């Protein structure tokens, strides 16, 4: 879906969207394609790249806010479609930081020795929860999926550290008010848009820049490194202006920051793994590199992960 397509639906312009967000296009999954279907495509590619077999996977974690069903977890649907007989599977609801939260949980569980090979997925069909009458939000979001395999190893590569934080006081800055157990659909429910995403963009913008910087600095400091040691930053792709502001504050040149927002828009939990995959396949990550991932989303919630490749 291009900006020109959106110009036909809401009062907006390609010029406004590109200047304010950096987005030119976003992908919209067809009707009948669920989050589990997109996830399976990503999981297959990740598994192939890892050289492992489906029987080797003992842990599957999916970050999503657009599950196939309210019950069971979509991770269980993926488990069936991917045929992962030896895995336990569950979802994490952490909005745009879903993949980083998943990475944190998976690496921690692998470190305990209880699990060996984890599939961590970030996947969203945001088009199913976007209000296409609301120009404040509909121009931002897209659908997509990304996945990574984490495996136990004795060398010094892998997840160096993760940092996770949230502030539930600010949950109504980005939420879907109705349809859950707090405001369930009743027989006389009237659909007025509260069943879709609503967002206070400007308020979130400020918190996003501040807390993504804090999360990045914390994880770099904890590892005893400086920004100069970071080979590549994979930020959540929410707004090019947020990404540039973070790079500036961290004193990291934009050529070390991976950006693909122009093609996909904001894909929430899928944003970081899609960017990671594209960066890896484009040869931008080599063995021994420190890769910093940082994200921010509804909760409000934010987090970072530092990986030595
Ligand atoms: O995924 C993580 C969570 N989300 C985010 O990180 C999003 C963070 N926020 C943002 O990216 C930006 O705040 C937005 C892109 C959402 C909005 O950009 P902004 O520069 O903060 O614009 P604004 O909300 O202050 O709106 C400026 C003007 C307003 O008009 P008035 O009141 O000044 O007359 C809006 O009504 O732009 C108007 N506007 C639009 N105009 C054309 C808002 N949306 C649109 C639109 N097209 N799509």
């Amino acid at each position: 879906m291009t900006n020109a397509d959106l110009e036909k639906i809401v009062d907006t312009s390609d010029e406004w969207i590109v200047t304010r967000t950096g987005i030119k296009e976003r992908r919209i999954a067809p009707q009948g394609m669920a989050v589990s279907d997109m996830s399976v495509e990503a999981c297959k590619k990740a598994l192939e790249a890892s050289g492992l077999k489906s029987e080797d996977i003992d842990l599957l974690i999916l970050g999503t806010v657009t599950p196939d069903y309210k019950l069971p977890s979509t991770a269980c649907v993926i488990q069936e479609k991917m045929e992962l007989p030896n895995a336990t599977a569950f979802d994490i609801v952490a909005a745009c930081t879903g993949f980083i939260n998943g990475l944190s949980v998976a690496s921690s569980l692998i470190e305990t020795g209880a699990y060996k090979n984890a599939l961590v997925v970030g996947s969203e069909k945001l088009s199913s929860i976007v209000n296409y009458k609301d120009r404040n939000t509909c121009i931002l979001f897209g659908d997509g999926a990304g996945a990574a395999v984490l495996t136990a190893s004795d060398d010094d590569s892998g997840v160096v550290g993760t940092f996770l934080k949230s502030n539930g006081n600010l949950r109504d800055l980005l939420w879907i008010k109705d349809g859950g157990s707090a405001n369930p659909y009743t027989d006389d429910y009237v659909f007025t848009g509260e069943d879709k995403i609503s967002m206070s963009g400007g308020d979130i913008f400020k918190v996003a820049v501040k807390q993504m910087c804090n999360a990045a600095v914390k994880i770099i400091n904890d590892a005893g490194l400086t920004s100069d040691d970071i080979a590549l930053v994979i930020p959540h792709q929410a707004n090019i202006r947020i990404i540039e502001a973070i790079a500036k504050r961290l004193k990291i040149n934009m050529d070390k920051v991976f950006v693909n927002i122009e093609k996909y828009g904001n894909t929430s939990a899928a944003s970081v793994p899609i960017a990671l995959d594209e960066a890896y396949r484009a040869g931008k990550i080599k063995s021994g590199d420190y890769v910093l991932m940082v994200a921010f989303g509804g909760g409000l919630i934010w987090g970072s992960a530092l990986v030595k490749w």
Side-chain angles (χ1 to χ4, degrees), residues 6-289:
L6 283 161
E7 282 175 355
K8 293 177 201 139
I9 306 175
V10 285
D11 180 15
T12 192
S13 67
D14 175 55
E15 198 264 331
W16 191 97
I17 301 172
V18 172
T19 353
R20 300 288 182 122
T21 70
I23 302 166
K24 293 181 181 163
E25 304 171 0
R26 63 293 288 146
R27 266 63 205 163
I28 305 297
Q31 243 184 1
M33 180 181 282
V35 156
S36 61
D37 300 313
M38 290 191 286
S39 305
V40 164
E41 296 304 315
C43 286
K44 278 184 188 163
K45 287 184 181 165
L47 204 56
E48 191 190 334
S50 76
L52 294 178
K53 297 192 189 67
S54 50
E55 308 89 67
D56 299 326
I57 300 297
D58 50 10
L59 179 64
L60 168 66
I61 301 178
L62 168 71
T64 191
V65 294
T66 47
D68 284 18
Y69 311 107
K70 285 194 172 163
L71 179 77
S73 76
T74 304
C76 285
V77 183
I78 300 170
Q79 176 180 23
E80 189 230 328
K81 292 183 178 174
M82 283 292 295
E83 298 178 30
L84 307 173
N86 301 317
T88 184
F90 56 89
D91 291 0
I92 286 183
V93 182
C96 308
T97 72
F99 181 77
I100 289 178
N101 284 57
L103 207 61
S104 180
V105 173
S107 67
S108 305
L109 287 174
I110 288 173
E111 275 168 29
T112 67
Y115 297 90
K116 283 201 165 47
N117 302 308
L119 250 174
V120 182
V121 193
S123 181
E124 302 282 12
K125 190 173 181 179
L126 293 177
S127 59
S128 67
I129 57 167
V130 161
N131 180 356
Y132 283 98
K133 290 183 180 147
D134 177 11
R135 69 175 184 174
N136 291 296
T137 52
C138 73
I139 53 112
L140 298 172
F141 298 108
D143 301 336
V149 173
L150 269 72
T151 192
S153 81
D154 292 327
D155 61 32
D156 71 340
S157 69
V159 179
V160 179
T162 58
F163 169 73
L164 307 175
K165 195 89 197 323
S166 62
N167 178 359
N169 293 335
L170 301 177
R171 66 184 178 279
D172 60 355
L173 292 184
L174 175 48
W175 70 342
I176 298 174
K177 193 170 162 220
D178 292 353
S181 62
N183 300 306
Y185 298 131
T186 50
D187 286 347
D188 52 0
Y189 184 82
V190 181
F191 287 93
T192 58
E194 299 284 15
D195 59 313
K196 306 279 187 194
I197 294 178
S198 75
M199 185 178 82
S200 306
D203 296 324
I204 291 181
F205 193 107
K206 289 173 222 141
V207 191
V209 172
K210 185 176 161 199
Q211 298 299 5
M212 281 168 86
C213 283
N214 288 346
V217 168
K218 165 109 178 84
I219 202 117
I220 293 170
N221 288 348
D222 284 356
L225 303 174
T226 70
S227 339
D228 291 342
D229 298 311
I230 304 302
L232 191 68
V233 182
I234 310 274
H236 170 45
Q237 313 281 316
N239 188 317
I240 188 65
R241 292 184 293 135
I242 294 178
I243 295 172
E244 286 171 352
I246 294 167
K248 197 172 165 194
R249 286 198 194 184
L250 294 176
K251 298 193 172 60
I252 293 180
N253 200 296
M254 277 302 286
D255 62 12
K256 286 167 115 191
V257 180
F258 192 82
V259 176
N260 62 5
I261 190 170
E262 69 282 357
K263 281 189 289 181
Y264 307 112
N266 181 345
T267 56
S268 185
S271 141
V272 168
I274 292 173
L276 179 66
D277 182 68
E278 285 199 345
Y280 175 65
R281 289 178 198 268
K284 289 182 184 292
I285 305 174
K286 51 186 194 313
S287 183
D289 277 354

